[in-house]
Each structure stands twice: as structure tokens, then as C-alpha cells.
Amino acid sequence: MSLRRTYETTVIVNAALEDADVDAVVAKITTYIENHGGEILEVEKWGRRRLAYPINKKFNGFYVHIIFEALTNTIPILERFLVLEDTILRHLTLILPQKLRDYRAKKITGDGRPIEPAPEDEEATADIAVV
Amino acid sequence: MNQIFPMQTNSNFRNNKQRVVKKKNNPIRKSRIVDYLDPKFLGRFTNDQGKILPKRITGLNAFQQRRVALAIKYARHLALIPFVAQDIA
């Protein structure tokens, strides 16, 4: 018996890859979820960002944020898949509470927080540099 | 007499012993939600080095402090905020 829950997973893909290859990796993850009885609700590519600290000697990463619905027992399988995928530097899968989802939606519409942080990206790196 | 006397003692008491309790201002009010994907927001609860600030400085309540601390740890894992901020002079 297993429950169906909403999850969100954030993945950092190696930014050295071409855009097409990144898309291929994302497609691989999404199809993997779907094959295991999941349902993709949202895929959001944040794009290339500077990492706050180097991971495997890489300073940049391509962030992808996926919201999906799946049975609880698919998560360990997905986690294992993400670990084995060597183009993925980091990943984090968490249950997405509806409240947090509403909060984010409100925030975007409310004060127009840029979710694709092209301008914010530079600021973020600047902040780190200053600190 | 009966009206004036307690008032006088009260005022004296306050002047001598009772401190005026300063209310901490809670930066996120009563919100119970903390978004771990928002580095700018989480940056308010860390110092220059990237350390998590204690509750007495952040002014959060215990519930929020726990959530914020957890969110900072998630964000660190995703390299959104640093574990240790580099000191670039």
C-alpha cells in the first residue's frame, strides 16, 4: 500500500553539457518518473547558475526543478536513478506541501519575484563575492 | 486616597525594579512556511560567514527557527547558499 503524494525534486545538472544534452537528461528523468507511475506537474529550468561552493570542482550548474505526483514507493527508485546518473551533480527530493506551493505562487504574482533569475543571478554572485 | 496610593506605588515600582520588556520584532510574523529555494530570504538568517544565527538575534519563534534552520541546510545542500562564505578581501 502506498500513498500518492506531491513531490518536488531539484537537480543540478553539469553545466558543461550542451543545452540539448541537458534537455535530454531532463527528459530522461521525467520519462523515468512517468514510467514508474508518476505524473509530472511542472518542469522548470532555472538555467545556469553559479554554485555557492564548488561541487566536484565545478563552479556552475544547470538547475532544474520538477514538481510531480507519485506513489511513495517510487521515490527510493528515483533517488537511486539520480545517484547513478553521473551528469547530475546534486539532487534533492522533498514532499511539497500544498501550503508552500500556494506561498510560492502568491510570491510570484505578488511582488514579481523572478523565478528565472537572469538578473538575480548576477546579484547572487555579487553577494557572494562581497561576503 | 484609595485611588492615588496604588498608583504611586506602581509608578515607583516600575522606576526602581521592573524593566520595560522590549518586544522582539519577528521578521516573518506568524508565517509557518519557509521556502528553502529562496536564498535571499534565507540570507537574512545567516551571518557574513554563512552561519545560522541564533533565535535571540533572528527574533523568530521556536517553530520558525527550526524550520528556517532546516531550510538553510537544504539550500546549502543545493549550493544555493554557502556552508562557509569565502572571505574575498
Side-chain angles (χ1 to χ4, degrees), chain A residues 7 14 17 20 28-29 34 44 46 48 56 79 95 103 109 116 130-131:
Chain A
Y7 294 92
N14 191 345
L17 298 178
K28 212 171 162 185
I29 299 166
E34 278 166 353
E44 210 178 301
W46 295 357
R48 286 180 172 74
N56 298 350
E79 285 279 306
I95 292 172
Y103 174 79
T109 53
E116 286 132 51
V130 168
V131 167

Side-chain angles (χ1 to χ4, degrees), chain B residues 15 21 25-26 31-32 44 49 55 69 73 80 88:
Chain B
N15 288 340
V21 181
N25 48 337
N26 191 329
S31 168
R32 293 170 76 85
R44 288 162 50 189
Q49 289 183 320
K55 180 166 155 282
K73 286 165 190 177
L80 295 171
I88 299 166

Side-chain angles (χ1 to χ4, degrees), chain A residues 77-108:
Chain A
I77 309 168
L78 177 70
E79 285 279 306
R80 179 163 171 75
F81 167 76
L82 292 172
V83 168
L84 293 177
E85 187 68 40
D86 49 4
T87 51
I88 293 172
L89 301 179
R90 276 289 159 86
H91 63 93
L92 180 68
T93 308
L94 292 175
I95 292 172
L96 177 59
Q98 190 56 43
K99 276 184 183 170
L100 183 56
R101 236 184 138 181
D102 295 344
Y103 174 79
R104 280 183 188 151
K106 213 176 179 182
K107 221 173 179 187
I108 293 159

